[in-house]
Amino acid sequence: MPSVIRQFTALSLLILAVRPDGELLDLKCQPTVGIVAQTTDIRCQYKDNGDTNIVGVFLKKSTEENSIFQMYGNKIYGDKRFTLENPRNGPSLKITDTMFSDEGNYDYRVVTDRGEQTIRLSITVTANYSAPVTSTWPETLINGGPADLYCNATEGYPAGYIHWFDKTGTNWTINSVLRKVPKDTNGRKSVALSSKLTFKSINKDLEPFICIVFNSKHVQDGKSTIKSPIFSPEDPEKNVLEPDTTKIIAGGMVIGSLIVGLLFALLFFRRKRSFHDQRRSSAQPFLTDYAKTAEDDPENP
Ligand SMILES: *[C@@H]1O[C@H](CO)[C@@H](O)[C@H](O)[C@H]1NC(C)=O
Ligand SMILES: *[C@@H]1O[C@H](CO)[C@@H](O)[C@H](O)[C@H]1NC(C)=O
Ligand SMILES: *[C@@H]1O[C@H](CO)[C@@H](O)[C@H](O)[C@H]1NC(C)=O
């Protein structure tokens, strides 16, 4: 393969070198980052922006021999997702419904009425992360208690990262652990992100906590706020703040203990009585039997 590329490039350079007018197009294409399933623009232009008419374009993957797209005159061949955009302004290309398989290096040969040039261009394909999903452990947090906050984002590619902030903007990322799980479903690549922020003792005053998902290019891709109330309403601080609740609970406890006391007393007396009954009922047959034996004994009338 590399020898084919070398020949291809060498041939193009040769053609350029031997052109009688010797004019160089000085074509430049920007490195391209496409988003999967969206339209990708491959921007190319001539350095001097002079009056140039395109005769033909040939795009092939560096690792392949045949063109993936070519246009010559008004004949177009190849992958229908590729088109030449505004040929008057330069040989820029457009790919609709971008796929991960479009990723790679390409050799792009542009033939114009001012000369021709083949340049190498690269395409990388990314995928946006889905909106992050958050959860907590335990489900209801207790002020001052231990807590794990989770922020999960899936479907994105390449791997991004997650940062954590509280309501005051303090950065808690250093206390978090990021897990990345790569996936490949029929060529649809993604890296699932799961960030766990751990607190030994969480402070209610810092809520809501916010997680931000960044893509591999450090651009924010998603954001989620851990919704209030994540804290248990029966935490000790809240009871102190609400004396009415405390009074009701105290009153309830007094009545409760009275009832329990009464129940115990009842139970005690019942048991005591039944103990007596048992003693009597068990003693009776013994005495009866004895009496019976005495009666039946013929030697003891
Ligand atoms: C994907 O993310 C880019 C920014 O990185 C944004 O411009 C674009 O609108 C997003 N696409 C979708 C479908 O959310
Ligand atoms: C996020 O991922 C972790 C495992 O990495 C899991 O324990 C947690 O339940 C997930 N949360 C949500 C809301 O999916
Ligand atoms: C937050 O902290 C992380 C890691 O400690 C750091 O990489 C990041 O730049 C910080 N972000 C801001 C906005 O300070």
Side-chain angles (χ1 to χ4, degrees):
M1 276 306 165
S3 71
V4 174
I5 299 160
R6 233 177 287 130
Q7 273 173 20
F8 181 83
T9 319
L11 194 67
S12 308
L13 288 172
L14 198 68
I15 292 164
L16 271 174
V18 299
R19 277 193 72 84
D21 50 34
E23 201 171 8
L24 291 170
L25 285 175
D26 204 1
L27 182 66
K28 289 268 181 324
C29 294
Q30 289 168 13
T32 304
V33 180
I35 297 170
V36 82
Q38 294 187 20
T39 298
T40 301
D41 291 309
I42 304 165
R43 288 180 219 286
C44 300
Q45 55 192 163
Y46 315 113
K47 200 186 173 189
D48 64 358
N49 248 337
D51 190 25
T52 309
N53 294 307
I54 292 170
V55 177
V57 296
F58 306 85
L59 180 73
K60 73 170 201 71
K61 274 208 164 166
S62 302
T63 51
E64 276 158 36
E65 244 170 290
N66 297 323
S67 297
I68 193 164
F69 166 77
Q70 69 179 65
M71 191 215 78
Y72 203 86
N74 41 21
K75 288 201 172 64
I76 296 168
Y77 306 94
D79 193 327
K80 297 269 189 301
R81 298 177 301 121
F82 288 76
T83 47
L84 192 61
E85 275 287 281
N86 290 323
R88 253 169 243 288
N89 301 334
S92 293
L93 296 165
K94 191 163 97 171
I95 315 172
T96 54
D97 188 22
T98 307
M99 301 194 277
F100 276 116
S101 57
D102 296 330
E103 218 167 30
N105 290 323
Y106 291 80
D107 291 319
Y108 188 31
R109 182 173 165 221
V110 178
V111 182
T112 74
D113 58 357
R114 285 171 60 207
E116 70 165 87
Q117 193 179 341
T118 299
I119 67 161
R120 173 67 57 92
L121 44 96
S122 75
I123 299 175
T124 53
V125 178
T126 66
N128 286 4
Y129 275 95
S130 57
V133 182
T134 57
S135 56
T136 65
W137 182 90
E139 239 172 87
T140 309
L141 303 180
I142 292 162
N143 193 24
D148 289 333
L149 309 186
Y150 289 96
C151 181
N152 302 351
T154 56
E155 307 305 320
Y157 185 85
Y161 52 95
I162 295 174
H163 283 173
W164 288 94
F165 300 90
D166 64 22
K167 83 163 180 205
T168 68
T170 303
N171 190 347
W172 287 92
T173 312
I174 200 116
N175 292 14
S176 70
V177 176
L178 181 64
R179 227 173 58 132
K180 302 175 185 180
V181 182
K183 274 187 204 154
D184 192 332
T185 330
N186 308 319
R188 170 70 163 92
K189 290 186 276 186
S190 67
V191 182
L193 303 177
S194 176
S195 177
K196 176 169 126 178
L197 174 62
T198 301
F199 289 93
K200 281 202 186 89
S201 162
I202 196 164
N203 182 354
K204 181 182 164 59
D205 296 335
L206 301 178
E207 70 151 339
F209 288 89
I210 296 155
C211 70
I212 298 177
V213 180
F214 293 90
N215 65 20
S216 59
K217 297 274 182 299
H218 316 291
V219 176
Q220 183 175 325
D221 212 343
K223 182 175 167 175
S224 184
T225 303
I226 297 200
K227 298 261 184 308
S228 276
I230 48 171
F231 284 90
S232 163
E234 67 219 69
D235 67 73
E237 208 179 83
K238 201 152 185 183
N239 284 340
V240 169
L241 289 174
E242 284 167 47
D244 281 356
T245 324
T246 323
K247 259 184 225 162
I248 291 163
I249 291 171
M253 274 168 78
V254 168
I255 293 164
S257 28
L258 273 173
I259 292 169
V260 170
L262 271 167
L263 281 173
F264 261 106
L266 262 170
L267 207 68
F268 181 72
F269 285 120
R270 269 194 71 131
R271 283 199 65 169
K272 215 172 159 183
R273 205 188 305 152
S274 73
F275 180 66
H276 278 298
D277 291 350
Q278 247 172 43
R279 266 229 332 221
R280 230 176 293 141
S281 57
S282 62
Q284 246 166 354
F286 174 71
L287 289 174
T288 323
D289 281 353
Y290 184 77
K292 243 179 150 183
T293 324
E295 269 170 35
D296 290 351
D297 196 344
E299 282 174 31
N300 256 329

